[in-house]
Amino acid sequence: MTAPYMAAGGLLRVYPATDPTGAGLVWAHGGAFVHGSLDMNESDWVALELAVRGTTVVSVDYRLTTETENRYPAASDDMLAAWGWTRAHAGDLGILPELTAIGGTSAGGNLAAGATLRLIESGSAAPALAVLAYPTLLAEQPEPSPELRAKLDADPAADRFQPDRVRSMYEVYLGGSVVDAPVAAVPGLAGDELLAQFPPTFMVNSDADQLRTSGEAFAERLRAAGREVNVVTEPGTTHGHLNRPDEGPGPRASIERIAARLRDLSIP
């Protein structure tokens, strides 16, 4: 079957690879933990594009947080359920377990990184690769560099993630203060022992995007822990560029980068 289909009681939409390499990707859309769907471009379009490039994608319809329901760990639990289902059905999907990655965009990148930390903590097999696209990984993110600050000042519409807004987003997700939050909810707080076991990581950040400071900080900590990490900042893009595939060359360039890194998994 090559057309996308639903699985796991509606939790997942599977996009079979048209010319499979054996690689698989469990993928989560963004939306600040409270918005988004399997039909948005950074879910559906991304999955379709990666599938035609050889990777079977399992997209997760995780529970969205509301003012009263689905606080952490609901969405994280859904990511773990998706990961477990994908590993259990790898043979049926044409995926090799040792070539299965996890990833996501923005808040979905947070969920992917958080689920990976939970797998490590539990002693379970970690993903072969973490693919993080403009992820949010800290509730209290670092100040932007002068270079980034200048880009944000030149494009006020891109300057959407001031510290208070980001902290509020996490407070809604957690249902309370970010102080002493679980590291799986705020992966940038993970300790060195966990980071030393984190899988190879491929990160694509948007260019004029204050959220990239948390991704860059996480990448630096992974490097300090001796982990393999590759970070690309897609030129000329703003946050969420994979959700706007017709907005310049950036989204398609990012797809090619991600697809190439996933193909590398199948090369001994």
Side-chain angles (χ1 to χ4, degrees):
M1 185 173 187
T2 56
Y5 61 91
M6 299 302 295
L11 174 63
L12 310 173
R13 184 185 289 170
V14 179
Y15 295 75
T18 53
D19 187 13
T21 65
L25 174 64
V26 177
W27 185 250
H29 64 78
F33 306 110
V34 299
H35 303 295
S37 75
L38 296 184
D39 295 323
M40 63 194 295
N41 283 323
E42 65 182 20
S43 183
D44 185 62
W45 178 77
V46 167
L48 289 169
E49 292 294 318
L50 294 177
V52 300
R53 290 165 174 79
T55 296
T56 292
V57 180
V58 178
S59 193
V60 188
D61 192 19
Y62 61 86
R63 283 170 285 177
L64 300 177
T65 302
T66 72
E67 290 294 336
T68 58
E69 295 182 314
N70 299 335
R71 308 299 184 117
Y72 176 84
S76 183
D77 287 347
D78 290 342
M79 286 296 291
L80 287 181
W83 177 258
W85 184 92
T86 302
R87 293 275 296 190
H89 293 82
D92 298 332
L93 297 170
I95 293 173
L96 296 175
E98 66 272 21
L99 302 184
T100 308
I102 196 169
T105 57
S106 196
N110 172 295
L111 295 176
T116 300
L117 293 170
R118 292 179 68 184
L119 289 168
I120 294 169
E121 286 181 312
S122 70
S124 302
L129 176 73
V131 180
L132 308 179
Y134 39 87
T136 172
L137 300 169
L138 285 168
E140 304 280 358
Q141 59 191 29
E143 286 294 316
S145 66
E147 171 262 342
L148 176 54
R149 184 69 264 165
K151 289 184 177 184
L152 294 169
D153 289 344
D155 185 2
D159 194 6
R160 300 183 281 128
F161 296 103
Q162 292 80 15
D164 287 350
R165 180 180 180 187
V166 173
R167 189 184 310 110
S168 176
M169 176 180 72
Y170 277 87
E171 288 171 346
V172 170
Y173 177 46
L174 291 163
S177 173
V178 300
V179 177
D180 297 325
V183 296
V186 189
L189 299 178
D192 293 342
E193 184 176 349
L194 281 176
L195 293 181
Q197 302 172 72
F198 206 82
T201 301
F202 185 74
M203 184 182 297
V204 178
N205 284 323
S206 301
D207 191 3
D209 179 9
Q210 192 162 344
L211 282 186
R212 75 172 161 99
T213 61
S214 73
E216 290 167 345
F218 188 69
E220 283 302 313
R221 294 200 58 215
L222 287 174
R223 291 191 188 99
R227 306 311 295 158
E228 176 190 337
V229 57
N230 185 13
V231 180
V232 176
T233 300
E234 201 63 74
T237 59
T238 60
H239 186 79
H241 67 269
L242 287 174
N243 208 36
R244 302 182 298 277
D246 297 324
E247 187 176 277
R252 294 185 181 276
S254 291
I255 286 290
E256 295 295 346
R257 298 183 199 277
I258 294 169
R261 183 63 184 88
L262 288 164
R263 281 195 297 270
D264 285 347
L265 292 175
S266 61
I267 299 175

